[in-house]
Amino acid sequence: MKLGIIGLPNVGKSTLFNSLTKAGAESANYPFCTIDPNIGIVSVPDERLKLLGDMYHSKKVTPATIEFVDIAGLVKGASKGEGLGNQFLSNIREVDAIVHVVRCFEDSNIVHVDGSVDPMRDIETINLELIFSDLEILERRIAKTAKAAKMDKTLAAELALLEKLKAHLEDGRLAGSYVPENEDEETLLASYHLLTAKPVIFAANVGEDDLADDGASNEGVAKVREFAASNGSEVFVICAQIEQEIAELDEEETAMFLEDLGLKESGLQKLIRASYRLLGLMSFLTAGEDETRAWTIRIGTKAPQAAGKIHTDFERGFIKAEVVNYKDLLEQGSLAAAREKGLVGMEGKDYVVQDGDVILFRFNV
């Protein structure tokens, strides 16, 4: 999974990126200190892996990972060349979802590019810049397709879609709210990698005082939540400064620190849950002496396609999947014991993989 982090300058974007990835991206109290995209890869915390790894005495335990891409802070007019322009937006066209960091805290020591804190104004500014960036992509595509359509009549439907999308965006609406008329339109729309078509997770960045009640008493957070709910987006409340402190602690210290703050989980854990939920993802597991590993798939994936995540040969030559729930496996202490209790199923091509399934694939190529 790949997530792109965006936001205005000085909203806590690079501070959040640093804390999530411990990658040490430059963050400072002035716009555009992040110019080149910063990329960090984070392991997805999963206690099931450790328990299974211990049971199998695995030589290696490999968690699922998330790749974060942090780009320079956007400003009003970026699409027309203001600030650093919008050329760096191409760095997040391939991401699965966008994490939009919104400032919901007051701090006179940290300047706001527009002079005051207003989360909804900031969201609108960013959305307009994303719309302008997408319009640029569509206009180039229209010019190219219109020329080719003169020789190839099959391109007429694509040209019609491009024109409809352009009108949709010019109306101030995001591509994500466009409803494709058929499967062909759906496939084409996905191929354009439009930024405004991507799922969005809002990171409402608050001060430490607003963390304990998850931003319930913060007016800005309430507005962000309302906006997200009407747009099918996710929201999580975070204090980027606190997350940066957590990033410097070990596991035991983190647990104590969170408890002192009255928190059940870190911002990273909140973000992972939000992104899995938004993208409809889950993990199945493979376990053995050599390696215990988590594999991320879409909810509803069938056994052969899950096998293909490990290796294309597994999908091509799929025969059966030996499946046991990780809790049953841990309780019984071994796959053989779980088999004896009838807790292991031999599943075929139509089996829909469940979160927490431990699977042994049988295949023949």
Side-chain angles (χ1 to χ4, degrees):
M1 178 163 49
K2 195 172 181 180
L3 302 177
I5 302 180
I6 64 168
L8 291 170
N10 295 349
V11 296
K13 191 173 55 64
S14 291
T15 305
L16 175 60
F17 175 83
N18 284 340
S19 60
L20 295 177
T21 64
K22 303 179 188 177
E26 187 181 357
S27 68
N29 182 22
Y30 54 91
F32 317 125
C33 66
T34 317
I35 297 177
D36 295 321
N38 293 295
I39 294 171
I41 294 175
V42 176
S43 297
V44 174
D46 192 339
E47 63 173 11
R48 302 173 300 188
L49 282 179
K50 185 185 182 313
L51 295 169
L52 286 168
D54 289 347
M55 190 184 98
Y56 276 94
H57 305 293
S58 304
K59 291 171 190 163
K60 192 161 74 163
V61 174
T62 309
T65 58
I66 296 178
E67 184 176 319
F68 288 101
V69 183
D70 171 37
I71 64 164
L74 293 170
V75 291
K76 189 180 266 183
S79 54
K80 297 181 181 69
E82 291 295 320
L84 293 167
N86 73 351
Q87 72 276 13
F88 42 79
L89 282 172
S90 60
N91 294 305
I92 57 167
R93 288 213 173 267
E94 303 295 325
V95 300
D96 300 302
I98 286 171
V99 180
H100 183 165
V101 184
V102 186
R103 179 171 168 176
C104 298
F105 67 89
E106 295 282 355
D107 187 336
S108 56
N109 295 316
I110 301 175
V111 296
H112 188 292
V113 285
D114 289 329
S116 63
V117 174
D118 182 342
M120 294 318 299
R121 179 200 59 211
D122 294 355
I123 288 173
E124 190 181 335
T125 297
I126 293 287
N127 281 348
L128 275 174
E129 293 313 315
L130 298 182
I131 284 171
F132 290 143
S133 182
D134 280 350
L135 278 170
E136 200 179 290
I137 294 284
L138 288 175
E139 282 160 4
R140 285 206 300 265
R141 192 94 184 210
I142 286 168
K144 188 179 172 185
T145 308
K147 193 176 176 184
K150 290 174 184 172
M151 309 292 290
D152 183 353
K153 299 300 177 194
T154 61
L155 292 172
E158 180 174 4
L159 188 57
L161 170 64
L162 289 164
E163 295 285 7
K164 281 188 285 186
L165 283 172
K166 182 170 178 274
H168 188 84
L169 292 178
E170 285 173 339
D171 203 23
R173 292 177 290 170
L174 307 178
S177 65
Y178 176 81
V179 181
E181 290 178 14
N182 50 50
E183 272 185 37
D184 288 346
E185 277 201 358
E186 200 174 323
T187 304
L188 281 168
L189 179 56
S191 73
Y192 301 148
H193 298 296
L194 296 178
L195 293 169
T196 60
K198 293 187 183 298
V200 177
I201 303 161
F202 290 100
N205 190 13
V206 301
E208 187 181 334
D209 295 344
D210 286 327
L211 261 188
D213 68 353
D214 204 36
S217 53
N218 184 305
E219 199 179 311
V221 173
K223 287 178 180 174
V224 174
R225 282 187 168 132
E226 191 182 332
F227 179 82
S230 63
N231 285 274
S233 301
E234 287 276 346
V235 181
F236 73 105
V237 172
I238 196 165
C239 174
Q241 209 60 53
I242 290 290
E243 287 301 312
Q244 198 157 36
E245 290 177 41
I246 289 172
E248 292 164 15
L249 305 174
D250 62 30
E251 214 172 300
E252 200 175 305
E253 289 171 328
T254 297
M256 286 167 63
F257 187 62
L258 290 173
E259 197 178 324
D260 288 346
L261 289 169
L263 303 175
K264 289 177 182 167
E265 58 187 352
S266 70
L268 175 61
Q269 288 164 319
K270 283 185 188 178
L271 174 53
I272 287 168
R273 276 198 302 107
S275 51
Y276 269 63
R277 208 164 42 232
L278 184 68
L279 296 170
L281 300 175
M282 60 173 222
S283 296
F284 75 90
L285 313 161
T286 53
E289 198 178 307
D290 285 336
E291 183 182 38
T292 290
R293 182 165 180 165
W295 304 87
T296 303
I297 55 171
R298 291 200 179 276
I299 292 168
T301 300
K302 292 186 177 179
Q305 287 69 50
K309 283 289 287 185
I310 299 172
H311 199 288
T312 50
D313 284 351
F314 283 31
E315 182 176 356
R316 197 156 48 90
F318 178 87
I319 301 171
K320 290 279 180 190
E322 202 168 358
V323 182
V324 60
N325 180 271
Y326 82 97
K327 284 182 183 171
D328 292 334
L329 181 55
L330 288 168
E331 276 171 20
Q332 298 307 315
S334 73
L335 190 59
R339 274 197 202 103
E340 277 178 29
K341 288 279 177 70
L343 298 169
V344 181
M346 289 298 285
E347 307 291 351
K349 291 182 177 180
D350 291 328
Y351 176 72
V352 177
V353 176
Q354 302 300 306
D355 187 52
D357 277 350
V358 181
I359 307 181
L360 178 64
F361 293 105
R362 303 196 180 281
F363 67 101
N364 182 33
V365 177

